[in-house]
Amino acid sequence: MIHLFQTLALLVFPVIVIAAGLRDATSYTIPNWMPAALVVGFAVAVVALGLPWRLVAVDVAVGVVALFAGMAMFALRWIGGGDAKLFAAAGLWLGLTGAPTFLLVTGVAGGGLALCLLGLRSATVRPLIGAGPAWFLRLAERGEGVPYGVAIALGALMAFPLSALGAHL
C-alpha cells in the first residue's frame, strides 16, 4: 500500500507537467494551480519517500535558483509568468541531478518550437491553414508569442528520470 502511495505521489509530476504544456499550447496560459500543485506534490513525495533532508535542501535551492532565473526571463519578456512559475516548480522536482538535462532540453526544445512556429506563420504556409481548432489557428497567427511551457514540459519530462525523485519511479 505504501509503494502505491509513493508511486501516485511521483506521478503527480509528469501528469501536471504534461497538462501545463498542453494548456500553454492551447491557451497561452498556465494556471497558477498547476505550479502550486507541483510544489505541494513535491512535499508529499518527499515525505512519502522519506528522502534525506540534505537532498531536499539541495532540491529546494535548485527550485529557488530556477525561480529567480524564471523571474529574470519574465522581466526580459522572454517567457510568460506561468512559464516562469512552471520552470521553478519543475526545478524543485528535478534538483541538481536533473537540472543540466532540464536546461539543455528546454533550451533546444524552445528553439525548435520557435523555428516551427516561424515556419507555420510564414507567408507561404499560413495561407494553407484554412480551418482547424481555434488554438491551432492562434499558434499560426503572426505576432503571437511562443508557448514556452511546451518546451519546459518536454525538458522536465526528459530530466525527471535523472532526478532523485524520478529515480524512485
Side-chain angles (χ1 to χ4, degrees):
M1 185 68 164
I2 289 184
H3 182 68
L4 176 64
F5 180 70
Q6 291 171 333
T7 302
L8 290 175
L10 289 172
L11 288 176
V12 164
F13 182 75
V15 167
I16 293 179
V17 164
I18 290 168
L22 289 172
R23 178 70 186 260
D24 201 26
T26 58
S27 70
Y28 282 89
T29 59
I30 299 172
N32 288 333
W33 71 263
M34 289 180 165
L38 285 174
V39 172
V40 171
F42 172 80
V44 170
V46 161
V47 171
L49 293 170
L51 291 183
W53 290 109
R54 283 182 290 152
L55 179 62
V56 174
V58 171
D59 288 351
V60 169
V62 170
V64 168
V65 169
L67 178 62
F68 283 113
M71 288 170 36
M73 290 186 286
F74 174 72
L76 293 168
R77 302 184 87 163
W78 293 351
I79 63 174
D83 301 325
K85 290 176 263 186
L86 180 63
F87 187 77
L92 178 69
W93 275 80
L94 299 172
L96 205 51
T97 56
T101 300
F102 175 51
L103 294 173
L104 178 66
V105 174
T106 299
V108 171
L113 178 61
L115 289 175
C116 287
L117 289 176
L118 283 173
L120 184 65
R121 296 169 183 171
S122 70
T124 45
V125 176
R126 178 66 180 120
L128 301 175
I129 302 169
W135 65 267
F136 183 75
L137 296 175
R138 185 172 178 197
L139 285 175
E141 283 296 317
R142 293 184 137 207
E144 284 288 348
V146 176
Y148 210 78
V150 174
I152 294 168
L154 184 59
L157 292 172
M158 295 296 291
F160 188 51
L162 304 172
S163 70
L165 286 170
H168 286 88
L169 197 55

